[in-house]
Amino acid sequence: AKYVVIRIKNTSTSNTLRLYFTNDLVKSFGKDGAYYIPATTQDTEFKEYVVPFSGTVNFNGNIDKLRFDVQTNDGAVEIDYIRFVESVN
């Protein structure tokens, strides 16, 4: 898949979400397999975010593992879904 689509509700004050992946080129979670997602804060509704992995240097079309991080001491991040898609509208 070329894109990861994540639908979340971010009730925290953290405005950056991090998505890490591993694959044949990236063996462990870290900056080589990281994508930073600018996010709205203190949401009351779910919002969809599109991550264009095809533009990430170490993305080879495959994802072995995925990790989603938020650094916050307040609020929460609720995940409605994570989808892997070839194209977005």
Side-chain angles (χ1 to χ4, degrees):
K2 294 180 181 176
Y3 300 91
V4 175
V5 179
I6 304 170
R7 187 170 187 256
I8 63 169
K9 180 168 49 172
N10 179 18
T11 64
S12 78
T13 58
S14 178
N15 64 358
T16 303
L17 311 173
R18 285 176 281 195
L19 194 62
Y20 296 94
F21 67 90
T22 64
N23 62 18
D24 296 339
L25 302 174
V26 180
K27 299 297 183 188
S28 61
F29 293 122
K31 64 180 175 77
D32 291 339
Y35 194 90
Y36 297 88
I37 305 166
T40 59
T41 61
Q42 300 174 327
D43 293 336
T44 58
E45 301 288 330
F46 280 92
K47 295 182 180 174
E48 202 171 73
Y49 294 88
V50 176
V51 179
F53 271 130
S54 59
T56 304
V57 173
N58 291 312
F59 181 72
N60 63 359
N62 296 314
I63 295 175
D64 296 329
K65 296 177 188 172
L66 194 66
R67 187 178 94 196
F68 186 72
D69 284 0
V70 177
Q71 288 188 339
T72 185
N73 293 326
D74 66 325
V77 175
E78 296 177 52
I79 300 172
D80 184 33
Y81 58 76
I82 298 174
R83 294 181 178 156
F84 299 88
V85 299
E86 290 298 320
S87 63
V88 293
N89 296 340

